[in-house]
Amino acid sequence: MDYFYLFLIAGAGVIFVILQFDKQQRRRVNSLLKNANDVQPLLMQRCMDQKLSKLSAELNIYENHARTDDGVKQKLEASLKQITVEYNTGKITLPVYNNKLGELLHLLANK
């Protein structure tokens, strides 16, 4: 009977320690989520950077080889500049900016 009370007290102690650890971890996770709430999605940011570099490279190729008429090139450059300004001023969000860059790449590939 003495072992029963010993295991009962030891079990209650273990459960108490586990619950305290769980409470501490939940606080850490919640504070991390609060701090990371306003951070831009990293993969979308990376994809956007790749699209921008590809657009710049393609526009430079068009400029050097004159594969297209100046009207189309000017239109693409103007829309890229407009989209970039809108994103930098906060008028459009990152997903919208990413989608518009994708549309510009698609237009550029079809020309």
Side-chain angles (χ1 to χ4, degrees):
M1 199 59 152
D2 291 334
Y3 291 117
F4 174 74
Y5 291 116
L6 178 67
F7 286 124
L8 183 66
I9 293 171
V14 168
I15 289 174
F16 178 76
V17 169
I18 289 173
L19 289 176
Q20 289 299 321
F21 181 74
D22 183 53
K23 185 177 176 182
Q24 180 185 16
Q25 291 302 320
R26 284 183 195 209
R27 264 193 249 134
R28 285 184 183 172
V29 168
N30 286 336
S31 68
L32 181 69
L33 289 176
K34 285 180 186 177
N35 292 336
N37 194 19
D38 60 343
V39 175
Q40 297 288 353
L42 185 61
L43 293 178
M44 191 176 292
Q45 186 86 23
R46 179 186 250 182
C47 179
M48 181 193 66
D49 290 339
Q50 288 174 351
K51 286 179 182 179
L52 277 173
S53 65
K54 189 170 186 176
L55 274 169
S56 297
E58 288 292 325
L59 286 174
N60 286 337
I61 288 172
Y62 275 116
E63 184 176 309
N64 293 336
H65 297 292
R67 294 191 320 190
T68 184
D69 58 285
D70 288 336
V72 174
K73 181 181 170 287
Q74 294 294 333
K75 182 180 174 185
L76 287 172
E77 284 179 343
S79 31
L80 177 63
K81 189 174 185 178
Q82 177 189 6
I83 291 168
T84 306
V85 167
E86 286 177 356
Y87 175 70
N88 289 336
T89 57
K91 292 181 181 177
I92 59 174
T93 61
L94 182 68
V96 173
Y97 183 51
N98 199 16
N99 289 339
K100 287 187 177 188
L101 287 177
E103 291 172 6
L104 281 180
L105 271 175
H106 185 68
L107 285 174
L108 197 60
N110 289 338
K111 297 292 177 189

